[in-house]
Amino acid sequence: MPVGTVASVKGVSQDILEDLGVQILLGNTYHLYLRPGVEQVRKLGGLHKFMSWPRAILTDSGGFQVFSLNELRKVTEDGVTFRSHLDGSSHVFTPESAMAAQIGLGADIIMAFDECTEHPADHARMRQSMELTLRWAERSKKYFEEHKHEVPWAPQNEQEKQIPRSARNDKSYSISGSTPGGPISEGAKQSLFGIVQGGMDLALRKESAERTIEIGFPGYAIGGLSVGEPRALTREVVESTIQHLPADKPRYLMGVGTPEEIVEYAKLGIDMMDCVLPTRAARHGLLFTSEGKISIKQARYIGDKGPLDPKCGCKVCARYSRAYLRHLYASNEVLAQVLNTVHNLSFYLDTMRAVRHSIALG
Amino acid sequence: MPVGTVASVKGVSQDILEDLGVQILLGNTYHLYLRPGVEQVRKLGGLHKFMSWPRAILTDSGGFQVFSLNELRKVTEDGVTFRSHLDGSSHVFTPESAMAAQIGLGADIIMAFDECTEHPADHARMRQSMELTLRWAERSKKYFEEHKHEVPWAPQNEQEKQIPRSARNDKSYSISGSTPGGPISEGAKQSLFGIVQGGMDLALRKESAERTIEIGFPGYAIGGLSVGEPRALTREVVESTIQHLPADKPRYLMGVGTPEEIVEYAKLGIDMMDCVLPTRAARHGLLFTSEGKISIKQARYIGDKGPLDPKCGCKVCARYSRAYLRHLYASNEVLAQVLNTVHNLSFYLDTMRAVRHSIALG
């Protein structure tokens, strides 16, 4: 899942994302909550309509950003008090308010509110944090079940029933006025996924998985990884934890990884991943290719007439030379960000297409 | 002509420019000379191949940027000494070196090296500057005639003959290795246009026009306008000067204008114009629509579900709401610049299409 933090995959328009074959985008509840605000998105029909994205969207719970962007956060049993990174204003996320926010945004998949345990942490801290996440998971599910009908695209009566997503390209549909945007299938509903925590302790991970499954969700995420631990440890925790998650429900590993890692995790049984790496690296001129990583800012590419990746079929590799991409980056041109991001997303999506093909071939 | 300063129309990829119907782009010799450098572009096959743009390109002479970006320039009979706005390094443009640069870049239309007279200026200064531009025009033409075969895309022998531009979409062509890019028609050559100066003095403008025509060019530009004078004065100078320029050769008004102005100038007989306004304004959230200018940053658009311009058929207006565009701008998202630029260019190109249609209809 490419990351579209504030309802935009930075620099790439939605038609290009469609052409690239993006099936699902991730939106960050924390960022969208602060700007443009949940109520604003809700009034405009939800995230799909707001950003004109007819395909699937997943929103995180806001928990991870609260933990990673806020030095001054305060965690209590009730929830987390934090300050906006934009203007310093004070806000509170609770399991209930995080659910309300995600219901208001109206993504297809939403996430339980969890505490992302810091690393390193001692055993007592990991257990205490895991127990809190479990209590918050129960509260998340309870609130969600009581309020899930409040999605902005919920049909209010027969006349206003939603139009199936497959009709998206038929320009004649219109739900409410002239806004173009993405409808949700009739009868569609949000899915709330649970999140397994437990730090780097395999026994706690197992317990967290089992007790989260007891609460019951249509999909399960492994959270609290990629928080500074060594890659080998990430892999160890994933490999161990996934054994305790049902294979007939989506298993989502949050916040990974490199092209090599996503292949590896898929092989372990992970079904879904999200990461800012392809888009963020692109903005820093770091490009993934079939021949390895390329830092396009390097002087060695000044006169390089070849395509970025000779084995890539994306429209950037089909049209532009490394010399041109290097020039755009060195000249601080916005097009550098656009083209680099398109290529990196294409590389990631090609990687996952190859993974799916391999699975299909057994 | 949209402006693609350093071989990129800021934020917009070349395939989108093609889809918009852009026929010709302007590149800035001053900027390209500094970065990536003329020799670099020449070695890569010229500007068309470098930026993968198969359609026409015009480069300015560098004179205007030297005058507008350099406080410390020093003008002599020989040329202009200036300091790079990037690193402060010292450089000299002469008519000869400006021609060499433009031949090396290899645009379809290149411009004589001129002095852009500052405004206001007294009569003696206007005449002295005009006379200098005339002497530089002679030197520009002389150098061009002696060196015009040195374009990077000049056929060197029968085997390396250029492929006609119309074959661009046939991916099987390749001139030199794997670089994608735009070829120039077999037998094509650069055209050097002269520039009329003379400040705001109509008699001097007439004299400049007549003496530039005496030197003889395949097209003529009116330079030295949009330098701070009132709009009414710009129009007066254009209306007066154009009468002294041959109607059977392209007449190019440099550096204008608003959508209303380009229609007005076309009506006066102007055939070509360039301006950073549509692209620069877009980056500041100023959008041109059939209902007038819109500053998309305004809070009034926060909840506006309507398209930016209901009469516009561009892909931005077809897909996104004002609310979304406002959000992207307010959130400092790069996509704001991309979408705003696409719309403004579309609006300008639509305007010129309407102008051409009106001319065809008499």
Side-chain angles (χ1 to χ4, degrees):
Chain A
M1 296 182 283
V3 176
T5 304
V6 280
S8 168
V9 175
K10 293 188 188 305
V12 184
S13 61
Q14 277 69 314
D15 58 322
I16 295 178
L17 296 173
E18 287 178 346
D19 290 347
L20 284 170
V22 174
Q23 299 175 324
I24 176 167
L25 285 181
L26 182 140
N28 290 123
T29 297
Y30 168 86
H31 291 285
L32 291 162
Y33 163 87
L34 292 176
R35 198 163 58 182
V38 172
E39 185 53 19
Q40 198 51 47
V41 174
R42 196 194 60 73
K43 280 196 294 193
L44 292 164
L47 209 40
H48 293 84
K49 287 196 75 173
F50 177 58
M51 67 182 289
S52 187
W53 179 250
R55 301 182 186 173
I57 300 175
L58 179 148
T59 47
D60 60 11
S61 68
F64 184 76
Q65 265 77 31
V66 166
F67 289 91
S68 62
L69 294 175
N70 284 271
E71 294 291 318
L72 300 171
R73 66 182 180 274
K74 186 166 172 254
V75 183
T76 66
E77 181 64 30
D78 190 44
V80 185
T81 305
F82 62 96
R83 289 192 179 280
S84 161
H85 72 288
L86 296 174
D87 63 7
S89 56
S90 185
H91 301 267
V92 181
F93 272 165
T94 64
E96 292 76 19
S97 75
M99 291 307 103
Q102 290 186 84
I103 291 168
L105 294 172
D108 304 87
I109 300 172
I110 71 175
M111 303 302 299
F113 191 64
D114 63 330
E115 184 182 50
C116 180
T117 316
E118 70 283 0
H119 177 78
D122 65 25
H123 190 270
R125 165 67 189 138
M126 287 191 280
R127 166 162 292 282
Q128 173 257 321
S129 176
M130 181 201 82
E131 296 280 357
L132 182 66
T133 287
L134 283 165
R135 290 191 297 274
W136 285 0
E138 298 229 41
R139 285 166 56 188
S140 293
K141 184 178 177 184
K142 179 166 187 292
Y143 187 93
F144 175 72
E145 292 299 334
E146 289 167 2
H147 296 269
K148 62 186 179 185
H149 60 280
E150 294 167 11
V151 283
W153 38 267
Q156 281 156 35
N157 57 49
E158 282 304 308
Q159 277 67 48
E160 293 186 33
K161 266 199 176 161
Q162 304 295 309
I163 286 82
R165 191 177 296 162
S166 56
R168 169 61 181 78
N169 288 324
D170 176 4
K171 296 278 182 183
S172 63
Y173 86 84
S174 179
I175 295 165
S176 59
S178 56
T179 312
I184 304 295
S185 298
E186 193 172 337
K189 54 183 180 9
Q190 287 189 306
S191 296
L192 171 64
F193 281 19
I195 303 180
V196 174
Q197 291 285 353
M200 304 300 158
D201 185 290
L202 303 188
L204 285 180
R205 285 279 170 179
K206 176 170 187 285
E207 184 177 341
S208 175
E210 289 169 351
R211 289 170 61 188
T212 307
I213 293 164
E214 261 175 51
I215 298 169
F217 295 95
Y220 297 94
I222 302 175
L225 293 178
S226 279
V227 289
E229 78 283 7
R231 293 283 161 84
L233 184 53
T234 316
R235 194 199 140 93
E236 190 186 338
V237 174
V238 173
E239 195 166 7
S240 169
T241 307
I242 200 170
Q243 298 173 32
H244 311 296
L245 294 175
D248 63 346
K249 294 211 161 60
R251 293 171 294 193
Y252 164 26
L253 178 56
M254 304 182 88
V256 298
T258 64
E260 295 75 22
E261 285 166 355
I262 64 176
V263 172
E264 197 181 345
Y265 293 131
K267 200 170 171 187
L268 292 178
I270 295 295
D271 302 295
M272 303 168 61
M273 288 167 269
D274 77 280
C275 196
V276 294
L277 187 55
T279 45
R280 181 174 290 165
R283 297 200 295 279
H284 293 99
L286 194 68
L287 301 168
F288 298 97
T289 79
S290 61
E291 298 165 350
K293 278 184 287 189
I294 281 181
S295 175
I296 199 67
K297 71 185 80 171
Q298 289 177 5
R300 61 195 286 197
Y301 301 118
I302 284 182
D304 192 332
K305 294 181 177 185
L308 179 53
D309 183 352
K311 290 190 183 151
C312 177
C314 85
K315 65 181 202 167
V316 177
C317 291
R319 179 154 196 165
Y320 305 104
S321 65
R322 289 175 170 180
Y324 183 63
L325 295 175
R326 197 269 172 189
H327 161 68
L328 292 178
Y329 190 87
S331 302
N332 235 335
E333 284 291 304
V334 167
L335 191 57
Q337 171 171 341
V338 173
L339 298 182
N340 290 349
T341 304
V342 168
H343 169 79
N344 270 359
L345 284 178
S346 179
F347 189 82
Y348 265 68
L349 293 161
D350 276 350
T351 299
M352 289 311 294
R353 271 187 284 267
V355 163
R356 284 193 287 272
H357 190 61
S358 298
I359 292 171
L361 292 175
Chain B
M1 294 180 286
V3 177
T5 304
V6 282
S8 168
V9 175
K10 293 188 188 304
V12 185
S13 60
Q14 276 69 314
D15 58 320
I16 295 178
L17 296 172
E18 286 178 347
D19 289 348
L20 284 169
V22 174
Q23 299 174 325
I24 175 168
L25 285 182
L26 182 139
N28 291 123
T29 298
Y30 168 86
H31 290 286
L32 291 162
Y33 163 88
L34 292 177
R35 201 166 55 182
V38 173
E39 185 54 18
Q40 198 50 48
V41 174
R42 195 193 60 72
K43 280 195 293 191
L44 292 164
L47 210 39
H48 293 83
K49 286 196 76 172
F50 177 59
M51 67 182 290
S52 187
W53 179 251
R55 300 182 188 174
I57 300 175
L58 179 147
T59 47
D60 60 10
S61 69
F64 183 77
Q65 265 79 30
V66 167
F67 290 92
S68 63
L69 292 177
N70 283 272
E71 295 289 319
L72 298 172
R73 68 180 179 274
K74 187 167 170 252
V75 183
T76 67
E77 181 64 30
D78 190 45
V80 186
T81 305
F82 62 96
R83 289 192 179 279
S84 161
H85 72 287
L86 296 174
D87 62 8
S89 56
S90 184
H91 300 267
V92 181
F93 272 166
T94 64
E96 292 76 19
S97 75
M99 291 309 101
Q102 290 185 85
I103 290 168
L105 294 172
D108 303 87
I109 300 174
I110 71 175
M111 303 302 297
F113 191 64
D114 64 329
E115 184 183 50
C116 180
T117 316
E118 68 283 0
H119 177 80
D122 65 25
H123 190 269
R125 165 67 189 138
M126 286 191 282
R127 167 163 290 282
Q128 174 257 322
S129 176
M130 182 202 81
E131 296 281 358
L132 182 66
T133 286
L134 283 165
R135 290 192 296 276
W136 285 1
E138 297 230 43
R139 285 166 58 188
S140 293
K141 186 179 175 185
K142 180 165 186 290
Y143 187 93
F144 175 71
E145 292 299 336
E146 290 166 1
H147 297 269
K148 63 187 179 186
H149 60 281
E150 294 168 10
V151 283
W153 35 269
Q156 282 157 34
N157 57 47
E158 281 304 308
Q159 277 67 49
E160 291 187 32
K161 269 202 174 159
Q162 303 297 309
I163 286 80
R165 192 176 296 160
S166 55
R168 169 61 180 80
N169 288 326
D170 176 2
K171 297 277 183 184
S172 63
Y173 87 85
S174 179
I175 295 165
S176 60
S178 56
T179 314
I184 305 295
S185 299
E186 194 173 334
K189 55 183 179 7
Q190 287 189 306
S191 296
L192 171 64
F193 281 19
I195 303 179
V196 174
Q197 291 286 349
M200 304 300 159
D201 185 289
L202 303 188
L204 284 180
R205 284 279 172 180
K206 177 171 184 286
E207 184 178 341
S208 175
E210 289 168 351
R211 291 171 60 188
T212 307
I213 292 165
E214 261 173 51
I215 298 169
F217 294 96
Y220 297 94
I222 302 176
L225 294 177
S226 281
V227 290
E229 79 282 6
R231 293 284 160 86
L233 183 53
T234 316
R235 195 200 139 93
E236 192 187 336
V237 175
V238 173
E239 194 165 10
S240 171
T241 307
I242 200 170
Q243 297 171 31
H244 310 296
L245 294 175
D248 63 345
K249 295 211 160 60
R251 292 171 296 194
Y252 163 28
L253 178 55
M254 304 180 87
V256 297
T258 65
E260 296 75 21
E261 285 166 355
I262 65 176
V263 172
E264 199 181 342
Y265 293 131
K267 201 171 170 185
L268 293 177
I270 295 295
D271 303 296
M272 302 167 63
M273 287 167 270
D274 76 279
C275 196
V276 294
L277 187 55
T279 45
R280 183 175 289 165
R283 296 199 296 277
H284 293 101
L286 193 70
L287 301 168
F288 298 97
T289 79
S290 61
E291 296 166 351
K293 277 183 290 189
I294 280 181
S295 175
I296 199 66
K297 71 184 80 175
Q298 289 175 5
R300 62 196 285 201
Y301 301 118
I302 284 181
D304 192 332
K305 294 181 180 187
L308 178 53
D309 183 352
K311 288 188 184 152
C312 178
C314 86
K315 66 180 203 168
V316 177
C317 291
R319 180 153 196 165
Y320 304 105
S321 65
R322 289 175 170 182
Y324 183 61
L325 295 175
R326 196 267 173 193
H327 160 68
L328 291 179
Y329 190 87
S331 303
N332 234 335
E333 283 291 305
V334 166
L335 191 58
Q337 170 172 342
V338 174
L339 297 182
N340 290 349
T341 304
V342 168
H343 169 78
N344 272 359
L345 284 179
S346 179
F347 189 81
Y348 265 67
L349 293 161
D350 276 351
T351 299
M352 289 311 295
R353 271 187 284 266
V355 163
R356 284 193 287 271
H357 189 59
S358 297
I359 291 171
L361 292 176

